[in-house]
């Protein structure tokens, strides 16, 4: 009871982030799914009849994705995968496996939807419903991811790499 009362009056003011680069890359982990135990993997380019069921579906047919099978949380994510596959500037992309690409926050961690490498940049991409773009939690994650990109870009520039850029995309802005 006392702890709950204390939490109601707790506040913290962030003065920034501290970053420590311990390594320049991490080997990709396998996804926790392969599509073999359930529904057959679908062609990711084919429009969906029932997009509300997308979280239980598996998709394949990628040329630039680092994983042969992917799951999407929304049809907007699937449409973004189509855009990435069709964009000549995109070299490779992936949806990080759980704990594959953490961006740390003061009270936890955030996993972006996509990581993309183009001919001249690396992108951390988040897809959100249009009405959630300005939510405080979304903006907090975006701020942390932008800060992460600044540190990663600094590290890359010191080692001849590409700039990292954070993109927050509204779902309605992803069209085919």
């Amino acid at each position: 009871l006392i702890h709950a009362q204390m939490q109601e009056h707790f506040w913290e003011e962030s003065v920034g982030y501290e970053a420590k680069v311990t390594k320049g890359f991490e080997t990709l982990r396998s996804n926790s799914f392969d599509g073999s135990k359930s529904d057959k993997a679908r062609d990711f380019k084919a429009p969906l009849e029932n997009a509300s069921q997308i979280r239980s579906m598996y998709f394949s047919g990628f040329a630039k994705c680092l994983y042969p099978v992917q799951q999407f949380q929304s049809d907007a994510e699937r449409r973004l995968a189509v855009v990435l596959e069709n964009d000549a500037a995109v070299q490779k992309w992936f949806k990080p496996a759980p704990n594959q690409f953490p961006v740390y926050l003061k009270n936890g961690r955030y996993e972006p939807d996509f990581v993309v490498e183009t001919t001249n940049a690396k992108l951390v991409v988040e897809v959100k419903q249009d009405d959630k773009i300005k939510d405080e939690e979304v903006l907090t994650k975006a701020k942390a991811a932008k800060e992460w990109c600044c540190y990663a870009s600094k590290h890359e520039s010191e080692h001849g790499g590409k700039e990292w850029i954070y993109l927050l995309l509204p779902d309605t802005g992803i069209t085919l």
Side-chain angles (χ1 to χ4, degrees), residues 31 33 55 65 67 70-78 80-81 84 93-98 100-103 110-116 123-129 132-133 138 141 145 166-171 174:
N31 277 328
F33 59 89
R55 290 177 183 224
C65 183
Y67 292 110
Q70 287 287 266
Q71 279 187 294
F72 299 110
Q73 300 300 307
S74 67
D75 192 47
E77 286 188 3
R78 182 197 63 80
L80 179 59
L84 295 173
W93 66 273
F94 70 101
K95 287 184 59 57
Q100 177 77 53
F101 202 97
V103 174
Y110 153 64
E111 299 274 347
D113 292 332
F114 290 82
V115 178
V116 180
L123 312 172
V124 175
V125 183
E126 183 69 23
V127 177
K128 282 289 173 217
Q129 289 178 315
K132 301 211 187 259
I133 288 282
V138 171
K141 290 175 180 179
Y166 176 76
L167 298 175
L168 178 59
L169 302 177
D171 63 348
I174 304 169

Side-chain angles (χ1 to χ4, degrees), residues 63-161:
K64 298 179 183 180
C65 183
L66 298 179
Y67 292 110
V69 178
Q70 287 287 266
Q71 279 187 294
F72 299 110
Q73 300 300 307
S74 67
D75 192 47
E77 286 188 3
R78 182 197 63 80
R79 291 190 316 267
L80 179 59
V82 174
V83 170
L84 295 173
E85 289 284 326
N86 291 334
D87 189 331
V90 173
Q91 295 177 322
K92 53 191 161 196
W93 66 273
F94 70 101
K95 287 184 59 57
N99 301 316
Q100 177 77 53
F101 202 97
V103 174
Y104 293 96
L105 306 167
K106 68 178 180 180
N107 292 324
R109 53 199 294 156
Y110 153 64
E111 299 274 347
D113 292 332
F114 290 82
V115 178
V116 180
E117 184 171 359
T118 68
T119 52
N120 50 353
K122 294 179 181 178
L123 312 172
V124 175
V125 183
E126 183 69 23
V127 177
K128 282 289 173 217
Q129 289 178 315
D130 217 13
D131 61 341
K132 301 211 187 259
I133 288 282
K134 298 194 183 213
D135 281 0
E136 187 174 333
E137 182 180 353
V138 171
L139 295 176
T140 298
K141 290 175 180 179
K143 181 179 178 184
K146 286 177 185 177
E147 189 82 17
W148 185 96
C149 285
C150 286
Y151 285 112
S153 291
K154 181 178 183 237
H155 177 78
E156 288 273 336
S157 71
E158 293 169 356
H159 297 89

Side-chain angles (χ1 to χ4, degrees), residues 33-47:
F33 59 89
D34 64 7
S36 63
K37 294 183 181 175
S38 66
D39 199 10
K40 181 181 173 195
R42 302 165 186 263
D43 179 2
F44 77 103
K45 293 180 182 178

Side-chain angles (χ1 to χ4, degrees), residues 19-36:
K20 180 180 178 185
V21 177
T22 57
K23 56 186 169 183
F25 71 94
E26 181 177 319
T27 303
L28 288 180
R29 296 183 195 126
S30 62
N31 277 328
S32 59
F33 59 89
D34 64 7
S36 63

